[in-house]
Amino acid sequence: MMNQAALRTAVRVGAIAGALCVAWVLMLYLTDQNPYGPKRLMTVFVPPIAVLVAQWSARKLATDQFGFLVALMTGVVTLLITASLSGLGVYTLARVGNPKLIEQNRAQMKKMIQAERANFLKEKGGKEQYERSLSGIASTPADLAQDDFNKKLLAGLFFFLPGAIFFRR
């Protein structure tokens, strides 16, 4: 079971990391850049860092046993909060912001995928992968938010287990 210090640390670090991701997307939007395109993915490194920082901070604050399970749960809670807040920020911006940006993003992503068509077709099953990539381009606020959440979650998944092993006492 998680202790109070570890839980507070996970929530605090997760909220800060999620807010950083949202701030980056807002900055892209306010500077007339594509907030849903590839530049948004520059924040994919934030969840892994947040997970490790939360586990390290919780270990320093823990007065009692800070074992593997507490370290693991600290990482999981941090990751879920970070990814959720980031996805929620993208969803809110897509709902409140300029709806033309979603279509512009869709056109930009389609152009990028079409430019890589030859590379897709060189691979086994490449034609199907190419078609899936084209049809998988996010076209609604919910799709954009789901994509953001999934990428952040996937990035963080590779770090909370090693972090829990390393930071346990």
Side-chain angles (χ1 to χ4, degrees):
M1 197 68 191
M2 261 181 99
N3 62 32
Q4 290 290 327
L7 182 60
R8 280 193 308 272
T9 301
V11 170
R12 183 178 60 245
V13 172
I16 291 169
L20 284 173
C21 294
V22 172
W24 176 254
V25 172
L26 280 174
M27 191 275 308
L28 290 174
Y29 178 77
L30 294 173
T31 58
D32 292 328
Q33 298 181 51
N34 182 358
Y36 313 120
K39 287 184 181 177
R40 171 182 52 94
L41 297 179
M42 290 176 69
T43 60
V44 81
F45 71 91
V46 172
I49 291 172
V51 164
L52 296 175
V53 166
Q55 289 172 330
W56 175 72
S57 297
R59 181 176 188 237
K60 280 180 42 177
L61 292 173
T63 55
D64 54 346
Q65 278 296 88
F66 188 75
F68 174 75
L69 190 58
V70 175
L72 186 70
M73 291 308 295
T74 301
V76 169
V77 170
T78 303
L79 179 59
L80 288 174
I81 290 173
T82 302
S84 298
L85 287 177
S86 181
L88 184 62
V90 169
Y91 178 78
T92 303
L93 179 64
R95 294 287 297 186
V96 174
N98 187 350
K100 292 179 186 175
L101 287 175
I102 296 174
E103 281 308 311
Q104 288 173 356
N105 176 64
R106 190 166 168 69
Q108 180 184 10
M109 297 305 286
K110 186 175 182 181
K111 188 183 288 187
M112 288 172 59
I113 292 171
Q114 287 173 338
E116 293 295 319
R117 185 172 193 263
N119 292 333
F120 275 107
L121 297 179
K122 289 179 186 175
E123 305 283 326
K124 183 180 176 187
K127 186 175 192 302
E128 293 79 20
Q129 179 65 29
Y130 174 76
E131 295 299 326
R132 271 195 307 271
S133 295
L134 280 177
S135 66
I137 298 173
S139 59
T140 66
D143 291 342
L144 290 167
Q146 186 68 44
D147 178 62
D148 189 74
F149 177 82
N150 289 343
K151 284 186 167 95
K152 301 276 172 44
L153 198 62
L154 187 62
L157 284 177
F158 292 111
F159 286 86
F160 75 83
L161 185 61
I165 292 169
F166 184 75
F167 289 118
R168 69 180 181 198
R169 284 191 186 183

